[in-house]
Amino acid sequence: MKHLSFKGELMRERFLVLCVFLFFPVVLPCPASAGGPLDQASETTDKILAILTDPEMKDASKAQERKALIGKVVDERFDWEELSRRSLGRHWTSRTEEERRAFITLFRELLERTYLDRVEEYSGEKISYVGEKVDGDFATVEAKFLTAQRTEIPLLYRMRLKGDAWMVYDIVIEGVSLVGNYRNQFQSILSRRPYEELVRMLQEKVAEEQ
Amino acid sequence: MGKWKCGILAGALIFLLNAAPALGQGEPGLGEIALSARTAGEPDEFYDDYDDNDWYEEYHEYLPDPLEPINRAFFVFNDRLYFWVLKPVATGYKTVVPEKARISVRNFFTNLAFPVRFVNCLLQGKVEGAAEELGSFLLNSIGGMGGFFDIAGAAGVRKYDEDFDQSLAVYGFGPGFYIHWPVLGPSTLRGTVGKTGDLFLDPLSYYGEYWYAPWSRGLNVVNDTSLRIGDYEALKRAALDPYVALRDAYYQNRLKKIEE
């Protein structure tokens, strides 16, 4: 008896799966209503370029304001939590929710401080988008960074779909992943020192940047 | 007078640069140390939960770093060498030579190193790449005034940046372990063998009185650095452990080049 009911359940399940399969294309609306990952990434770089080339913002006295504006645009496109989680790797699991929040804030600050300063050196570099690869909720967007000295640097954004926004969680420059690079550093530090020490190092680094 | 001094410094630097791998080749005891190896980035079980595309495949190749204490010492040495010698020299050079000329000098040296790319394209069975490299070389050498103008590149012909390290990797040789050479910087056991092999294909090795061609190589290094001042500083600034950051950046970049 038992055996039979189990079989019946299995059949029902199969039927359900079949239904889902058949109706899937009809029921699910196209998720890419706000443009694909490439469009969204290029929208962000366009916004940043607009700020950088805005004649009203050119003045040195506006540097802080400009940085804050760019930071805001970047925040809209970056998934700092995912980026932090992947950078800490397996050490993320053993952290409390509070520690995680603190880590995300600190890490974001470090990255924004160091990289926004480089953006400030902008002198006519260009980014051109090459293509995108979408695999479910994950995507990679390929781009090329053309320096002022006409050197081409291949770029790759790793993105994840959150709602209808594609959020960047890693940047790969010339094959070097930002997350992977920090992950290696964090691992190396944490293999010798306690987590608190890593936090202290991050804090010092952020303070240095001020 | 200043320029003369710069030349001597650059020459000495380049002598070291080229002597280092040759000296290191037969060093005894490397294998023994390698036996007690600890790995640079241990496998990370955490990532098995994240099955997104090709994400973690590249991290499944770990580069052992058994010589870490020695490497770190050489890293500090190179760091000082950069800030105390190379950067001041390159900065001085930068103020004297306009950027356009420096790009032309870079083009010249890149064009000259054509045999390295050509032969390694062939070694890896990339016939199309070899043909394109040959085409660019002829075009740039003749039309580009001996390689000073990269007209092939401007016309959209891509560069095949192949070297012997990549060829060895294609033949199935592993990287061995990480080596941070004094002066030369990041490499691996395979990378060192590769670099030595490439030296035989480098026309500069056959030019002039000395195979290490101190003046030409010195100029190449200073010129290259002058176009790249700020890169190393940025890496250092963003890093918590610059040694590990550089080691990882070197290796990830190598993996990408090998893959291409």
Side-chain angles (χ1 to χ4, degrees):
Chain A
M1 247 338 242
K2 234 178 176 181
H3 184 73
L4 249 171
S5 75
F6 172 70
K7 222 174 177 180
E9 233 170 69
L10 217 103
M11 288 288 280
R12 214 170 55 218
E13 224 171 78
R14 264 191 202 160
F15 176 68
L16 264 167
V17 168
L18 200 76
C19 278
V20 169
F21 233 89
L22 281 170
F23 289 103
F24 182 74
V26 191
V27 175
L28 230 86
C30 183
S33 51
L38 189 149
D39 292 331
Q40 294 194 13
S42 81
E43 199 186 294
T44 299
T45 40
D46 284 348
K47 273 189 199 165
I48 293 171
L49 273 180
I51 298 167
L52 283 171
T53 51
D54 186 356
E56 269 181 46
M57 282 289 171
K58 268 270 180 288
D59 201 63
S61 62
K62 294 255 173 96
Q64 278 307 319
E65 198 183 325
R66 191 161 64 167
K67 233 184 249 181
L69 269 174
I70 295 172
K72 233 179 108 191
V73 176
V74 169
D75 280 346
E76 280 166 16
R77 187 56 61 209
F78 271 71
D79 188 343
W80 293 110
E81 184 179 343
E82 189 71 7
L83 199 144
S84 305
R85 188 172 70 143
R86 284 169 186 271
S87 298
L88 262 191
R90 67 189 144 123
H91 298 286
W92 178 266
T93 33
S94 41
R95 302 273 63 95
T96 65
E97 196 51 39
E98 217 170 291
E99 283 172 322
R100 287 175 184 173
R101 294 287 134 220
F103 181 83
I104 296 167
T105 315
L106 211 52
F107 194 32
R108 190 190 82 193
E109 228 167 298
L110 171 71
L111 290 177
E112 285 196 340
R113 290 246 162 91
T114 42
Y115 288 98
L116 282 185
D117 269 6
R118 285 227 99 188
V119 170
E120 287 290 299
E121 294 163 19
Y122 178 78
S123 56
E125 293 86 351
K126 283 183 195 97
I127 290 185
S128 60
Y129 284 88
V130 182
E132 64 179 14
K133 258 186 235 159
V134 183
D135 183 5
D137 282 352
F138 291 94
T140 50
V141 172
E142 212 183 305
K144 268 180 194 158
F145 185 80
L146 193 70
T147 67
Q149 290 122 9
R150 298 224 316 239
T151 319
E152 246 178 36
I153 298 169
L155 277 180
L156 199 79
Y157 299 94
R158 293 189 210 273
M159 298 171 95
R160 217 180 79 146
L161 192 63
K162 255 192 167 180
D164 60 358
W166 284 96
M167 305 290 276
V168 175
Y169 66 82
D170 191 11
I171 300 180
V172 186
I173 305 163
E174 277 187 286
V176 183
S177 139
L178 179 91
V179 164
N181 198 275
Y182 275 105
R183 205 153 71 87
N184 252 312
Q185 293 181 54
F186 293 156
Q187 289 250 41
S188 163
I189 292 164
L190 289 172
S191 70
R192 286 160 240 223
R193 290 169 206 174
Y195 176 76
E196 291 68 35
E197 183 82 1
L198 175 72
V199 173
R200 205 185 47 73
M201 284 170 84
L202 274 168
Q203 280 164 341
E204 261 173 30
K205 198 87 198 165
V206 169
E208 249 173 60
E209 291 299 327
Q210 260 160 346
Chain B
M1 186 64 187
K3 270 188 188 168
W4 186 77
K5 268 189 184 159
C6 288
I8 294 285
L9 263 174
L13 211 118
I14 296 321
F15 172 73
L16 272 169
L17 197 134
N18 288 297
L23 290 174
Q25 287 296 293
E27 220 165 86
L30 283 188
E32 284 160 46
I33 304 170
L35 279 178
S36 61
R38 75 165 271 287
T39 342
E42 282 111 16
D44 195 337
E45 314 89 47
F46 187 76
Y47 272 88
D48 295 2
D49 302 339
Y50 297 93
D51 204 21
D52 65 325
N53 346 348
D54 49 341
W55 158 257
Y56 71 79
E57 267 148 54
E58 61 198 66
Y59 294 111
H60 279 212
E61 295 190 49
Y62 300 98
L63 184 61
D65 190 2
L67 305 177
E68 189 172 334
I70 307 165
N71 282 340
R72 276 190 190 269
F74 285 147
F75 171 79
V76 173
F77 173 77
N78 285 353
D79 181 78
R80 305 229 161 114
L81 193 68
Y82 175 77
F83 284 108
W84 295 354
V85 184
L86 189 56
K87 193 183 173 186
V89 172
T91 310
Y93 173 84
K94 188 180 173 182
T95 51
V96 180
V97 186
E99 190 176 86
K100 277 211 170 116
R102 285 183 285 132
I103 291 174
S104 285
V105 170
R106 187 179 59 188
N107 288 341
F108 171 79
F109 281 112
T110 309
N111 190 55
L112 198 67
F114 148 79
V116 175
R117 293 188 299 270
F118 179 73
V119 170
N120 283 297
C121 270
L122 289 179
L123 284 176
Q124 293 169 39
K126 292 178 174 163
V127 182
E128 214 173 287
E132 271 182 56
E133 275 296 330
L134 181 66
S136 317
F137 175 68
L138 292 175
L139 205 63
N140 288 342
S141 301
I142 299 162
M145 319 254 292
F148 281 104
F149 298 98
D150 183 18
I151 46 178
V157 182
R158 70 168 267 225
K159 275 253 154 354
Y160 290 81
D161 198 10
E162 304 297 345
D163 52 45
F164 196 45
D165 178 41
Q166 294 173 57
S167 300
L168 288 171
V170 169
Y171 291 149
F173 288 98
F177 49 85
Y178 183 67
I179 308 174
H180 193 108
W181 287 109
V183 183
L184 266 176
S187 190
T188 56
L189 190 61
R190 186 189 63 211
T192 308
V193 175
K195 200 101 212 138
T196 313
D198 286 335
L199 228 45
F200 285 98
L201 291 168
D202 186 352
L204 284 178
S205 306
Y206 305 96
Y207 159 82
E209 212 172 327
Y210 308 103
W211 65 271
Y212 48 84
W215 293 98
S216 338
R217 280 195 223 272
L219 175 62
N220 190 9
V221 169
V222 171
N223 187 72
D224 244 22
T225 310
S226 79
L227 288 165
R228 233 183 281 167
I229 289 175
D231 283 7
Y232 176 65
E233 288 84 338
L235 177 130
K236 233 187 124 181
R237 226 182 112 188
L240 282 183
D241 185 341
Y243 169 78
V244 174
L246 189 62
R247 179 181 70 192
D248 174 73
Y250 165 78
Y251 193 51
Q252 284 199 59
N253 180 259
R254 277 280 101 185
L255 286 179
K256 180 189 154 71
K257 287 205 160 145
I258 290 162
E259 191 193 303
E260 277 173 355

